[in-house]
Amino acid sequence: MLLRAVRDSIISPYLPAVGAPAAATATTVVFSMESMISVANLSKTYGSGLHALRDVNLEIRRGEIFALLGPNGAGKTTLISCICGIVNPTEGVIRVDGHDIISDFRAARSIIGLVPQELTTDSFETVWATVSFSRGLFGKSAKPAHIEKVLRDLSLWDKRDDTIRTLSGGMKRRVLIAKALSHEPQVLFLDEPTAGVDVSLRHDMWEVVRALRASGVTIILTTHYIDEAEEMADRIGVISNGEIILVEEKAELMRKLGTKQLTLQLEHQLDGIPPALSAYRLSLSEDGMQLVYTYDAQRESTDIIALLRDVGAAGIGFKDIHTTQSSLEDIFVSLLKGKK
C-alpha cells in the first residue's frame, strides 16, 4: 500500500530526475521576473528517436489560467512532465518561480501541484488519510486546518471518512485536486480535469479553478474540451508536433483569428447570387432562403452597411438578420490545418 501511495504521489521533491543531462543546465537564459514558469529552448528526444518537444519557449505569468491545447501526441503531457520533473529534458532550461528544476529541484517541485488525468488513488484509504499523506510526501508538517479548508472548498468535507473506492468518479477527481493542493503549491497543473464527468460537475469544478486563481495560484490547464478553455483561460497556447505554434491572450486570439458571419433570412427564394453582389464573400444556402456574408472580425462594419444597401438595390428582401462569430474550437482546428 505504501509503494502504491508513493507511486500515486506523482511528484517527489526529494529525488532528482535520474540521469539529468548536463546540457540542460549549460544554457544561459534571461527570464522574466513576472513569469511563474519560464521554459527556454526545451527539447525532448526519447530513446526511440521520437522528438516529443522541439525548441519550446514559453512564459507562463504569475496568477493566470493558461490553457494548453493540442491534438493527441502533440507533446502536452511531455511538456508538463518536464516542468514537473517527471521527465528529463534533452536540452533547455526550465525555471519555476526562479528555481531551476534540475539544480534546485527541491524548491521547484515543492511549489508545484499536479492533477493527473488518470484516477490514481489508493482505493482503500479514506479521503482524509490520502490527502494528509500527500502533504507529508513534500516534507510538510501536519496542518489539519489546511486539509480541512481544502476539503471544504472542494465539497469533500462530508466525505472525509469515506474510502476512495466508495466515491463517484467526479468525487475521486476532486480528491486528486485536494491531494495536489495539500502542500499549498503556488502552481497547479490540471491535466484533463473534467474528463468523463457530467456537465453539472464540470461547471462546479470551473468555479473551484476560478477560486484558486483568485487566491493567487497559477493554473495550467490541458483539455480536449475547447469550450472549457474558452470559458476559463486568460491565455491560450497551442502545441502541435512538439512545437508551440501560438501563445496569445484569449480575447486577442478571438479578435485576430475569428471570423463573423452575417445571415440574412430572405423573404423569397433565390436561385443564385446576383452579379451585383459578386464583390462580397457571399454564399447561398441550399434551399435558397439564406444569404450568408463572411467577413473579417477586425474590419469595420462599413462593408455591412454597403452590403445591406446593395442587397436592397438588387431587389432582395429579407425578414430577419443575425450574426455569429467563430468559436475557439473553429480557430483551433484552422490553426492545426494550417500547420499541416
Side-chain angles (χ1 to χ4, degrees):
M1 184 177 295
L2 178 60
L3 288 176
R4 186 184 304 169
V6 172
R7 178 196 63 192
D8 176 46
S9 67
I10 302 298
I11 305 171
S12 171
Y14 306 112
L15 296 176
V18 177
T25 60
T27 306
T28 301
V29 181
V30 177
F31 293 96
S32 169
M33 294 300 292
E34 296 181 357
S35 298
M36 175 58 79
I37 297 174
S38 299
V39 179
N41 311 122
L42 178 66
S43 296
K44 174 60 182 178
T45 302
Y46 288 100
S48 63
L50 172 66
H51 297 286
L53 297 173
R54 303 169 184 268
D55 197 28
V56 171
N57 291 278
L58 180 64
E59 300 280 330
I60 297 177
R61 299 168 186 165
R62 191 180 305 272
E64 75 171 339
I65 298 178
F66 184 88
L68 183 63
L69 307 180
N72 290 331
K76 299 188 299 296
T77 299
T78 300
L79 176 57
I80 289 176
S81 298
C82 286
I83 296 173
C84 292
I86 300 170
V87 171
N88 293 323
T90 304
E91 296 178 358
V93 179
I94 303 171
R95 288 182 181 170
V96 181
D97 198 22
H99 303 289
D100 188 283
I101 63 152
I102 294 178
S103 63
D104 198 8
F105 62 90
R106 288 189 177 88
R109 297 184 202 184
S110 69
I111 59 177
I112 295 175
L114 172 63
V115 181
Q117 182 177 354
E118 296 80 10
L119 297 174
T120 54
T121 54
D122 194 328
S123 298
F124 296 97
E125 288 285 0
T126 65
V127 171
W128 179 272
T130 194
V131 175
S132 298
F133 182 75
S134 291
R135 179 179 176 85
L137 288 173
F138 285 84
K140 297 292 184 74
S141 59
K143 194 174 182 181
H146 174 69
I147 301 299
E148 178 178 345
K149 181 181 184 302
V150 169
L151 295 182
R152 287 189 183 277
D153 289 346
L154 294 169
S155 300
L156 287 169
W157 181 246
D158 292 341
K159 304 287 186 181
R160 63 189 181 279
D161 295 323
D162 294 359
T163 57
I164 304 298
R165 63 190 180 92
T166 65
L167 302 180
S168 66
M171 285 295 177
K172 289 177 181 177
R173 203 161 291 282
R174 291 188 185 211
V175 171
L176 291 180
I177 297 177
K179 285 164 58 65
L181 294 173
S182 64
H183 63 288
E184 302 170 80
Q186 299 174 40
V187 178
L188 182 65
F189 285 90
L190 297 169
D191 191 4
E192 302 287 347
T194 61
V197 303
D198 60 60
V199 174
S200 176
L201 185 56
R202 282 181 67 197
H203 285 273
D204 288 345
M205 294 183 72
W206 290 356
E207 292 305 315
V208 169
V209 171
R210 290 191 185 97
L212 289 170
R213 192 268 299 273
S215 71
V217 177
T218 302
I219 296 168
I220 298 88
L221 167 74
T222 69
T223 180
H224 283 107
Y225 296 113
I226 306 299
D227 62 319
E228 193 163 67
E230 191 167 4
E231 175 72 22
M232 292 197 301
D234 299 308
R235 289 195 304 152
I236 305 289
V238 179
I239 186 171
S240 179
N241 296 321
E243 300 178 5
I244 298 290
I245 61 176
L246 178 143
V247 175
E248 188 64 89
E249 299 282 349
K250 179 182 64 180
E252 185 67 10
L253 177 63
M254 299 290 288
R255 188 185 72 82
K256 284 183 178 179
L257 300 180
T259 59
K260 288 187 176 181
Q261 287 187 330
L262 177 76
T263 302
L264 302 178
Q265 300 284 345
L266 305 180
E267 292 180 347
H268 303 288
Q269 185 179 35
L270 283 181
D271 294 328
I273 299 174
L277 301 177
S278 61
Y280 300 98
R281 294 172 59 190
L282 293 173
S283 60
L284 187 64
S285 62
E286 291 185 3
D287 61 4
M289 294 299 295
Q290 290 185 345
L291 199 59
V292 181
Y293 172 50
T294 302
Y295 62 100
D296 188 339
Q298 296 186 73
R299 297 186 64 181
E300 301 294 335
S301 59
T302 51
D303 283 351
I304 295 177
I305 296 173
L307 170 66
L308 296 179
R309 183 183 62 243
D310 291 346
V311 166
I316 301 173
F318 56 91
K319 54 188 178 182
D320 195 11
I321 182 172
H322 68 270
T323 62
T324 57
Q325 183 168 358
S326 56
S327 67
L328 182 59
E329 182 171 6
D330 299 326
I331 296 172
F332 176 66
V333 171
S334 66
L335 282 170
L336 293 182
K337 284 183 178 179
K339 186 64 177 175
K340 290 181 180 179

